Amino acid sequence: MKAGQVLRAVQAIYGCLAEDGDERNFLDALRASVGAEHVVLHRFSDTDVAQSWTCSRLAGIDPRIFEYIAESDDFGAVMGQLRPGPTIRMSSLMSPKELENTPIYQDIIRPLNGGLASVALRRDGTEIVSAIACRSAAKDRDFDDGDLTVMDMLMPHIVMASRIARRIANLQRAASSTYQILNAMSDAVVVLDREFRPLYLNKRAEMIARDAAGLKISRDGVSATANKENARLQAAIRVAAGLDENRNDLEDTANRSTFAQMRLAISSVPGRLPFIVSAVPGSAILGDQRVSAILLIVDPEKSRNLSLIEMRTQYGLTQREAELTALLCRGARIAEAASHLGISVGTARQYLKVVFEKVGVNRQIDLVRLVGSIAA
């Protein structure tokens, strides 16, 4: 095989990785390069009995076949002679005639068009990775030195591609689990990419996007209807994304003004409480480098209702005091709660002072934490 053909095979390996990450497809690039019937990738650990097998071409093959091969005395005897190093022909360890007399050949290898093989072993951390290229002993010639050289040249790329594919698969599984949790949240969650465009919306966020009442969520981004509020929202997103890129700033909890910029109220339709929007760093939380920031959106009108009866019974609050407390626990500011109840801010503060005394706290944040525990 010429150098250009090897280069194209390397490109094919990483091309398959970029397209779908399926190990079978980039093993197929190796199979085609050496003219094999199929290629089997085998990973096993020095310290763990767990093994994994991938076959390039035999679609739908039962993985238990490989387990049967691995557990056979013949396979163990041959593989026990091998160490990580240059690719070798199996015929140099056991002649085809000897192999034909073994049960493993008659039961499995011959029906799978095998019998001739070249084997390459490489160490990858604590694991040994072997690639076994197979040909039919009945109709093909044995692998020649050129084939072994090609496997030696491609094997490092196969090992690297396999490692990357498994890493991507693990990240995708973790991300899938995380997004399932986000989807189950009662409040809206919008995950933004590096261009501040929505990468993911949970079910509650999709409802807000459909309503378009004060907040507009489209494929181009998230914006507020009111210009001043939109300017503050975009600034909050930029602050959150900036903190994500400068992780040390996340530990600077003394910088309260920075975090205050990341939480704001966005007006909804008249007669409704505003949305409470918090922008937080993205990839540091989700472990996804595509993410810049996450918007957490609380809709006080649709958040779970606090039991006014329980608050009145447990803490001796009046109806008005309980209503004010419920609004504050849903995320409303004192002025917003006062407006919703049709009272002045001064009156609301007097109510709140009485609530503090009855509940036994001195700060609004402590009130929210305590009373929130009796949500209906």
Side-chain angles (χ1 to χ4, degrees):
M1 177 177 274
K2 296 180 180 179
Q5 292 174 300
V6 173
L7 178 58
R8 284 192 291 274
V10 172
Q11 292 172 332
I13 290 170
Y14 291 107
C16 294
L17 179 64
E19 288 176 8
D20 56 19
D22 191 332
E23 286 183 322
R24 291 173 298 180
N25 290 334
F26 57 74
L27 286 180
D28 202 52
L30 174 58
R31 179 199 62 76
S33 298
V34 297
E37 285 279 347
H38 53 274
V39 175
V40 178
L41 190 72
H42 176 212
R43 277 183 172 269
F44 58 97
S45 173
D46 294 340
T47 58
D48 192 349
V49 296
Q51 304 183 67
S52 65
W53 301 84
T54 307
C55 188
S56 66
R57 198 179 185 197
L58 300 176
I61 191 170
D62 189 337
R64 288 175 295 182
I65 290 178
F66 297 124
E67 295 174 9
Y68 175 78
I69 294 175
E71 292 172 358
S72 71
D73 293 337
D74 296 314
F75 183 82
V78 172
M79 296 301 288
Q81 301 177 51
L82 302 180
R83 296 292 182 272
T87 304
I88 66 167
R89 282 179 287 270
M90 288 291 285
S91 57
S92 66
L93 301 176
M94 177 184 291
S95 71
K97 289 295 183 183
E98 291 179 284
L99 180 62
E100 288 175 7
N101 293 326
T102 62
I104 192 173
Y105 176 83
Q106 296 298 331
D107 294 344
I108 296 176
I109 296 177
R110 183 176 58 80
L112 295 181
N113 290 327
L116 297 172
S118 57
V119 184
L121 269 72
R122 295 291 186 276
R123 179 172 290 279
D124 185 23
T126 61
E127 291 186 316
I128 300 295
V129 182
S130 69
I132 307 173
C134 303
R135 287 178 181 168
S136 170
K139 62 180 182 179
D140 291 323
R141 60 176 176 79
D142 203 352
F143 293 90
D144 60 27
D145 291 345
D147 297 325
L148 303 188
T149 299
V150 169
M151 285 194 67
D152 282 335
M153 296 174 70
L154 296 183
M155 192 60 185
H157 300 287
I158 290 291
V159 173
M160 176 63 74
S162 175
R163 184 194 310 157
I164 294 173
R166 288 162 187 264
R167 175 63 175 161
I168 291 173
N170 289 337
L171 289 174
Q172 288 175 334
R173 282 193 292 270
S176 175
S177 176
T178 300
Y179 285 118
Q180 287 176 6
I181 294 173
L182 294 181
N183 207 42
M185 292 178 63
S186 59
D187 294 323
V189 179
V190 180
V191 178
L192 302 177
D193 67 13
R194 291 292 171 183
E195 301 297 324
F196 304 152
R197 297 171 302 198
L199 187 65
Y200 166 83
L201 282 72
N202 71 351
K203 291 181 179 179
R204 179 67 76 182
E206 289 176 351
M207 293 174 60
I208 292 176
R210 286 194 297 269
D211 293 342
L215 272 175
K216 180 182 178 182
I217 304 175
S218 69
R219 66 178 61 185
D220 297 321
V222 180
S223 59
T225 303
N227 290 335
K228 288 185 178 180
E229 292 179 347
N230 187 52
R232 292 177 58 206
L233 175 61
Q234 303 310 316
I237 293 172
R238 289 193 295 271
V239 169
L243 287 177
D244 196 52
E245 294 177 358
N246 301 282
R247 303 287 176 83
N248 292 336
D249 291 348
L250 287 170
E251 300 176 2
D252 184 15
T253 54
N255 190 359
R256 295 181 181 273
S257 62
T258 297
F259 289 96
Q261 296 176 49
M262 298 161 61
R263 182 177 182 274
L264 61 154
I266 301 294
S267 300
S268 183
V269 296
R272 286 171 54 101
L273 289 171
F275 295 110
I276 308 301
V277 180
S278 298
V280 298
S283 64
I285 295 175
L286 295 181
D288 188 339
Q289 294 303 313
R290 299 173 300 167
V291 177
S292 65
I294 302 171
L295 297 181
L296 306 176
I297 306 170
V298 177
D299 183 355
E301 299 288 349
K302 293 187 178 180
S303 295
R304 62 182 183 174
N305 294 322
L306 296 178
S307 171
L308 300 184
I309 294 177
E310 287 190 38
M311 281 192 285
R312 294 183 63 183
T313 301
Q314 185 164 342
Y315 297 110
L317 303 184
T318 66
Q319 179 68 21
R320 211 53 153 172
E321 291 165 353
E323 290 173 349
L324 174 65
T325 302
L327 289 170
L328 295 176
C329 288
R330 292 174 191 163
R333 299 180 188 276
I334 188 73
E336 297 159 354
S339 175
H340 188 75
L341 294 174
I343 59 177
S344 68
V345 174
T347 301
R349 292 190 186 282
Q350 288 298 321
Y351 281 143
L352 185 58
K353 183 178 179 181
V354 175
V355 171
F356 282 171
E357 293 175 355
K358 291 182 177 180
V359 175
V361 296
N362 297 312
R363 299 184 304 166
Q364 187 172 322
I365 188 172
D366 295 328
L367 174 67
V368 171
R369 288 172 178 168
L370 181 61
V371 178
S373 65
I374 63 168

